[in-house]
Amino acid sequence: MACGTCKKAKNRECKIVNDNVNLYIQKMAEADGVILGSPTYFSMMSPEMKALIDRAGYVARANDAMFKRKVGAAVVAVRRAGGIPTFDAINHFFLISQMIVPGSSYWNVGVGLEKGDVEKDEEGMKTMEDLGKNMAWLIKKLNATT
Ligand SMILES: Cc1cc2nc3c(=O)[nH]c(=O)nc-3n(C[C@H](O)[C@H](O)[C@H](O)COP(=O)(O)O)c2cc1C
């Protein structure tokens, strides 16, 4: 609702407490790396993921860039098309949050309509495996230097 309370309160929380958003914000703040996953709905992320990004992103910006220099990766499920705009939009959140985004051997999109379908997407599965390895490698390097 864009109340801006987080900018005044600066308590690392969203004022709306009737859901789990503050738990998710806290989990992201504690983590070295964050993976945000979404299905593709009409060529974009789900409304739930957008709400998380809007609210967590605003709280983080109001509190000295809470996610700064954490590693962030987007993972997207898609039946056919629209996965790349969804992937790009999630990465925009990481980049404006001063996070570091590792790559993989393809863009992090898995193809499937129903639960479990993605396991037949061999290239998608390999992409996620390479992403995981690159993310772990990067986090170890960052932890060694800070
Ligand atoms: C409302 C809605 C919109 C969708 N839009 C797209 C789309 O734009 N492109 C596409 O390839 N698949 C689309 N799909 C298919 C989903 O991306 C795909 O089934 C995905 O695996 C669903 O993940 P979920 O089970 O976590 O919702 C859509 C599905 C729904 C329910």
Side-chain angles (χ1 to χ4, degrees):
M1 65 184 182
C3 66
T5 303
C6 54
K7 288 188 185 168
K8 292 179 210 119
K10 296 194 186 298
N11 63 354
R12 296 162 74 93
E13 285 184 5
C14 177
K15 184 194 167 186
I16 305 165
V17 292
N18 60 357
D19 57 27
N20 281 333
V21 77
N22 286 321
L23 175 67
Y24 304 146
I25 291 171
Q26 190 194 335
K27 278 183 177 286
M28 288 196 273
E30 286 167 5
D32 294 327
V34 175
I35 297 175
L36 293 185
S38 176
T40 301
Y41 287 173
F42 289 95
S43 198
M44 193 34 64
M45 69 184 82
S46 66
E48 291 85 357
M49 181 55 67
K50 185 67 170 75
L52 173 67
I53 285 176
D54 289 349
R55 292 169 66 194
Y58 231 53
V59 169
R61 289 175 76 76
N63 288 277
D64 301 321
M66 282 167 68
F67 309 136
K68 185 175 175 175
R69 296 183 188 150
K70 292 182 185 298
V71 174
V75 169
V76 171
V78 65
R79 182 189 69 82
R80 183 176 176 85
I84 296 303
T86 308
F87 175 72
D88 291 345
I90 298 173
N91 280 326
H92 288 154
F93 163 64
F94 295 138
L95 295 171
I96 199 173
S97 302
Q98 306 185 51
M99 294 171 71
I100 303 164
V101 178
S104 183
S105 44
Y106 201 82
W107 300 298
N108 312 331
V109 173
V111 175
L113 178 63
E114 303 293 345
K115 194 172 177 183
D117 281 354
V118 72
E119 283 166 32
K120 287 178 241 146
D121 174 14
E122 215 173 286
E123 190 171 1
M125 295 298 280
K126 172 83 168 71
T127 301
M128 302 311 161
E129 198 181 313
D130 290 337
L131 173 67
K133 286 180 185 159
N134 291 342
M135 195 166 177
W137 179 90
L138 181 58
I139 289 170
K140 279 183 200 146
K141 293 275 176 199
L142 290 170
N143 282 347
T145 56
T146 52

